[in-house]
Amino acid sequence: KVVAVIMVGGPTKGTRFRPLSFNTPKPLFPLAGQPMVHHPISACKRIANLAQIFLIGFYEEREFALYVSSISNELKVPVRYLKEDKPHGSAGGLYYFRDLIMEDSPSHIFLLNCDVCCNFPLPEMLEAHKKYGGIGTLLVIKVSAESANEFGELVADPNTKELLHYTEKPETFVSDLINCGVYIFTPEILDAISNVSSHREDRANLRRVSSFEALQLATRSLPKDFVRLDQDILSPLAGKKKFYTYETMDFWEQIKTPGMSLKCSGLYLAQFRHTTPHLLASGDGTRSAKVVGDVYIHPSAKVHPTAKIGPNVSISANVRVAAGARLINCIILDDVEIKENAVVLHAIVGWKSSLGKWSRVQGQGDYNAKLGTTILGESVGVEDEVVVINSIVLPHKTLNVSVQEEIIL
Ligand code: GDD
């Protein structure tokens, strides 16, 4: 048997995702019309003998309750949310819930970060992992040398694929091969995590002799049950024939900002073309809008036949789009109203917002620039003919004059 664990983090981790994380946990933010965490969960469907899926985080349980029960029914595999009382780090969380995770005596444990976007080649990783015979195999990808320092950089043996060296977000360049945050382990990983904790304890006891060192320790050291997979496990155990790498040639992105969520929404829509084309709007039939490229429209949304939608547009529940509206490269969240001839381009429009007639909400289309994607928080009103360009508008604001390159607090 195999189990999968998805690390979803908690409310303090989502700060770069503001204002979209104010009232929805980041893992539930919709990409291509499905919660972010839904994409790794669906990928688990391809794993043979999957016994359970666990989501580990420190969000309140009730925030995930509805989603977890509906996805369990859909997949016919139990999906459980396990709440940490405090953050234990990406490896500490796994250890904290080891009894539940080992309940079905799995031979392998998948561990996935929830904030990455890729095609999750899980069966392929399992296959490779069995061949390598280590305690873990990590998904890796080549990125540009300039962007590598945002991730864990690593060196792998080109022939055996063994992980030889690992440095988390190094200041000086190590390698353009990076950690994708998708792993497969044998249960021995739990012993490796437990070793980190007990060594920390020993060190703490040893150092109690010097008060200077005790002070240093208090400011620098971590609680013994806080264990990071990257710094505390991969770095020290690299080059010891314990970890191996599986390189993906397919797409991979990290989702830390609203701009990246728009990009990843498009990547998942494109993937739907191959995996679940019935989820994409087709635009045929006389009552439906004109659809261009990959578009998701929730069945409860009402889009006027003269509106033109796409490419890369995702429209959530109960949205109303009036005649002549034009939507390109955007995410429209639940209960938004878009009035006649409004234009939305390179933007995310928050829950219950309203865009007036002939209004325009537009970003420049640079996913990495701070104001490259225009973001409207929840319940923002944009009045008729008002233009909002390269801006972020916090919840509950009403704009009656046009703005450009501004953060409206
Ligand atoms: N449950 C729980 N508890 N989840 C956590 C905790 C915790 O205490 N800390 C982090 N996470 C989750 C985050 O929500 C995220 O999904 C994942 O674990 C990794 O988060 P971080 O440890 O903050 O690392 P990162 O995202 O900056 O970088 C990691 O992922 C990159 C790939 O996206 C590193 O492993 C990098 O090396 C890697 O390139």
Side-chain angles (χ1 to χ4, degrees):
K1 280 191 184 137
V2 177
V3 296
V5 176
I6 304 176
M7 299 307 276
V8 299
T12 56
K13 284 262 167 184
T15 51
R16 276 188 282 173
F17 214 66
R18 284 176 187 162
L20 300 174
S21 54
F22 279 152
N23 54 0
T24 298
K26 179 176 129 175
L28 295 180
F29 185 82
L31 306 179
Q34 318 294 323
M36 184 182 293
V37 70
H38 190 80
H39 300 279
I41 291 180
S42 315
C44 291
K45 277 194 278 198
R46 291 180 56 230
I47 306 171
N49 303 318
L50 180 70
Q52 292 205 63
I53 301 176
F54 299 96
L55 311 184
I56 299 183
F58 44 102
Y59 291 100
E60 289 307 320
E61 255 160 308
R62 58 182 158 75
E63 305 203 74
F64 283 85
L66 212 69
Y67 175 70
V68 158
S69 76
S70 78
I71 187 68
S72 299
N73 286 332
E74 194 188 313
L75 285 188
K76 310 215 167 26
V77 169
V79 180
R80 287 163 76 178
Y81 178 73
L82 305 178
K83 183 185 181 295
E84 293 164 276
D85 51 349
K86 57 167 196 195
H88 292 86
S90 41
L94 192 71
Y95 190 73
Y96 185 71
F97 289 113
R98 62 192 177 283
D99 293 342
L100 286 169
I101 291 166
M102 292 309 295
E103 210 170 54
D104 295 301
S105 311
S107 58
H108 293 92
I109 304 164
F110 279 101
L111 183 72
L112 318 176
N113 287 3
C114 112
D115 59 359
V116 300
C117 166
C118 64
N119 69 343
F120 299 101
L122 307 177
E124 295 80 0
M125 285 178 70
L126 177 59
E127 214 36 50
H129 176 73
K130 285 180 178 164
K131 209 174 68 197
Y132 300 145
I135 70 168
T137 296
L138 43 151
L139 188 70
V140 302
I141 192 168
K142 272 214 164 70
V143 297
S144 70
E146 306 81 68
S147 67
N149 66 349
E150 296 164 40
F151 311 105
E153 297 185 13
L154 56 97
V155 180
D157 185 303
N159 299 316
T160 65
K161 310 296 176 199
E162 190 200 335
L163 178 71
L164 296 176
H165 180 77
Y166 186 96
T167 320
E168 184 61 22
K169 305 185 182 85
E171 274 168 30
T172 52
F173 181 75
V174 174
S175 164
D176 57 0
L177 201 57
I178 62 121
N179 173 10
C180 293
V182 178
Y183 315 83
I184 169 106
F185 297 118
T186 60
E188 276 176 81
I189 188 67
L190 297 169
D191 304 328
I193 304 172
S194 139
N195 282 340
V196 174
S197 303
S198 43
H199 277 136
R200 244 187 227 153
E201 198 166 41
D202 293 349
R203 231 175 26 220
N205 289 336
L206 252 171
R207 293 211 190 160
R208 209 153 284 155
V209 286
S210 137
S211 63
F212 172 71
E213 275 185 336
L215 186 70
Q216 269 199 321
L217 205 72
T219 51
R220 276 194 309 157
S221 75
L222 297 159
K224 78 174 182 63
D225 58 354
F226 186 91
V227 184
R228 298 155 304 179
L229 197 51
D230 29 53
Q231 287 106 306
D232 302 324
I233 306 275
L234 297 178
S235 284
L237 295 181
K240 298 202 164 97
K241 296 204 163 38
K242 289 198 187 307
F243 291 102
Y244 291 82
T245 58
Y246 179 87
E247 186 177 346
T248 177
M249 301 294 167
D250 220 312
F251 67 97
W252 182 85
E253 298 289 345
Q254 194 181 34
I255 320 162
K256 294 289 185 199
T257 61
M260 284 308 293
S261 74
L262 178 56
K263 179 176 191 182
C264 293
S265 191
L267 289 169
Y268 280 136
L269 285 174
Q271 197 192 26
F272 284 179
R273 277 269 163 237
H274 308 288
T275 56
T276 46
H278 63 273
L279 286 176
L280 294 175
S282 61
D284 43 14
T286 46
R287 282 183 58 252
S288 56
K290 176 142 181 45
V291 167
V292 186
D294 299 333
V295 168
Y296 170 85
I297 301 177
H298 190 276
S300 64
K302 289 197 172 56
V303 182
H304 193 274
T306 62
K308 191 172 172 187
I309 317 287
N312 185 23
V313 172
S314 165
I315 297 179
S316 293
N318 305 316
V319 169
R320 287 140 295 153
V321 181
R326 180 69 178 106
L327 274 55
I328 305 169
N329 198 34
C330 59
I331 297 176
I332 311 295
L333 296 161
D334 293 11
D335 305 305
V336 166
E337 174 159 29
I338 299 179
K339 296 196 179 137
E340 286 78 5
N341 306 305
V343 174
V344 185
L345 172 67
H346 311 310
I348 299 176
V349 179
W351 308 266
K352 305 194 197 80
S353 290
S354 157
L355 310 189
K357 294 172 186 165
W358 298 100
S359 67
R360 194 174 177 97
V361 173
Q362 177 176 340
Q364 67 196 19
D366 177 351
Y367 298 116
N368 291 308
K370 182 152 200 308
L371 298 178
T373 304
T374 287
I375 316 284
L376 307 187
E378 184 183 0
S379 301
V380 166
V382 176
E383 296 197 342
D384 292 354
E385 293 171 41
V386 165
V387 178
V388 185
I389 293 183
N390 300 348
S391 294
I392 296 174
V393 184
L394 267 69
H396 307 289
K397 299 286 155 199
T398 296
L399 297 179
N400 49 24
V401 289
S402 296
V403 294
Q404 185 162 357
E405 317 277 342
E406 276 190 63
I407 297 176
I408 314 286
L409 299 169

